[in-house]
Amino acid sequence: MSHPVQVIAVTGGKGGVGKSNVSVNLSLALAALNRRVVLMDADLGLANIDILLGIRADKTIADVLSGECDLRDILIRGPGGIRIVPAASGVQHMASLNAQQHGAMIQAFSDLGNQLDVLVIDTAAGISDTVVSFVRAAQEVLVVVCDEPSSITDAYALIKLLNKEYGLVRFRVVANMVGNPKEGHHLFLKLSGVCERFLDVTMQYVGAVPFDENVRKAVQKQKPVIEMFPQTKASQAYRQLANKVNDWPVSSSPRGHLEFFVENLLASSMASQANATSHL
Ligand SMILES: Nc1ncnc2c1ncn2[C@@H]1O[C@H](COP(=O)(O)OP(=O)(O)OP(=O)(O)O)[C@@H](O)[C@H]1O
Ligand SMILES: [Mg+2]
């Protein structure tokens, strides 16, 4: 069994709220704290991480599943020493793996588990089966919200689904694009108020990232803002988030291992496939 790995799914329901920027910059800030970080692009639609970082992936998880290569062959070296698992477009096929492929996936992640401390998963917008599968399998769910009614309602819809259908109870929240720290906290209270009132959940505030023009500039240049403008307000905030994440306890139980994550991911992909079939 590999050593414990912290698996953090970055999600939010709504598109464009800053999930990918949080994922990338948090990953870099954690790497700067000497954590070995792998960033997984779980957005199967429009490529995200590769665009944000200006990298090109030749192979994806789909190639691992088809037996063409190992997980380690598809890892890309990113900035700041992080490694990236490119758009996991094979995940749709995870539901139909045979026993041998299933075993191969678990073995692949198990091998990888010894070489990393944190796995950050950037999820797509919405509440598709794929998003839900990744989030359910992770140990930590980081919900990114911004101060727009649709962001709050979409985040609520996602949390409600994860709680009512899948029994997830603990959610961490990052407020993005805020005017000041007070606004961030207020936004958190808005979301946690409605969640705790109607659902059986615990909401934990991680912090806020300010609205910062330099984020957009960095995105245009396909560079992480934390590298391009290390002293800008948003970069400072991403580092503060990383300091908090660094203090989160890592479970030493089986739940804290990468094998557990991939087992869960496979199980929930299969469950959602079975569910989809039963609705036909
Ligand atoms: N803190 C911020 N300050 C200013 N602009 C920001 C900030 N965070 C994100 N943005 C802007 O919002 C855009 C969308 O961010 P990002 O791609 O991270 O969102 P996303 O939630 O991953 O979107 P999608 O749902 O499409 O994957 C960025 O291109 C950037 O211009
Ligand atoms: Mg994104």
Side-chain angles (χ1 to χ4, degrees):
M1 172 91 62
S2 54
H3 85 134
V5 173
Q6 201 161 32
V7 182
I8 306 169
V10 180
T11 190
K14 190 178 172 341
V17 291
K19 300 176 293 293
S20 298
N21 273 282
V22 167
S23 302
V24 165
N25 291 290
L26 177 65
S27 294
L28 278 157
L30 284 168
L33 295 172
N34 291 324
R35 306 294 295 276
R36 295 171 301 171
V37 182
V38 170
L39 171 59
M40 187 183 229
D41 186 354
D43 193 339
L44 316 178
L46 294 168
N48 267 286
I49 301 295
D50 46 353
I51 300 275
L52 274 183
L53 297 177
I55 52 173
R56 244 189 72 86
D58 302 324
K59 291 194 156 72
T60 69
I61 287 213
D63 299 294
V64 179
L65 291 180
S66 66
E68 224 140 277
C69 61
D70 288 337
L71 190 56
R72 123 184 19 191
D73 300 329
I74 68 169
L75 287 180
I76 298 174
R77 286 232 158 256
I82 67 166
R83 285 164 299 162
I84 296 152
V85 181
S89 55
V91 175
Q92 285 132 322
H93 310 304
M94 279 197 188
S96 46
L97 297 188
N98 61 33
Q100 193 185 353
Q101 290 170 317
H102 194 277
M105 266 312 271
I106 291 170
Q107 188 58 48
F109 274 90
S110 176
D111 292 346
L112 181 67
N114 286 317
Q115 305 161 34
L116 83 160
D117 304 309
V118 188
L119 177 64
V120 176
I121 303 167
D122 179 25
T123 69
I127 47 176
S128 64
D129 287 344
T130 308
V131 170
V132 169
S133 295
F134 276 104
V135 175
R136 281 177 68 191
Q139 301 146 22
E140 299 284 355
V141 185
L142 199 57
V143 180
V144 181
V145 281
C146 62
D147 196 9
E148 283 172 33
S150 57
S151 171
I152 302 279
T153 50
D154 288 5
Y156 176 73
L158 173 70
I159 292 167
K160 182 178 171 190
L161 177 77
L162 291 165
N163 178 243
K164 296 234 171 196
E165 299 291 323
Y166 303 108
L168 269 66
V169 291
R170 195 165 50 80
F171 298 88
R172 314 250 197 194
V173 179
V174 171
N176 189 29
M177 302 193 230
V178 302
N180 57 56
K182 208 171 148 195
E183 248 181 66
H185 196 240
H186 186 71
L187 189 54
F188 166 71
L189 292 177
K190 244 198 253 181
L191 177 65
S192 64
V194 63
C195 289
E196 285 173 355
R197 180 153 170 221
F198 297 111
L199 310 170
D200 187 15
V201 294
T202 306
M203 307 295 292
Q204 294 169 328
Y205 187 46
V206 192
V209 179
F211 182 89
D212 185 335
E213 214 27 65
N214 284 330
V215 175
R216 200 179 46 83
K217 285 189 194 152
V219 168
Q220 275 171 350
K221 292 265 188 267
Q222 296 187 298
K223 294 264 185 296
V225 69
I226 211 163
E227 272 205 336
M228 194 168 169
F229 303 105
Q231 293 317 323
T232 198
K233 285 184 302 182
S235 300
Q236 292 178 27
Y238 290 127
R239 281 194 293 273
Q240 275 172 19
L241 295 184
N243 282 327
K244 293 252 183 89
V245 172
N246 207 25
D247 287 340
W248 291 350
V250 187
S251 173
S252 55
S253 73
R255 207 181 150 66
H257 291 261
L258 216 51
E259 290 91 333
F260 189 84
F261 163 73
V262 69
E263 286 271 19
N264 262 346
L265 184 59
L266 293 169
S268 61
S269 323
M270 277 188 266
S272 61
Q273 175 94 345
N275 203 18
T277 315
S278 73
H279 282 95
L280 286 179

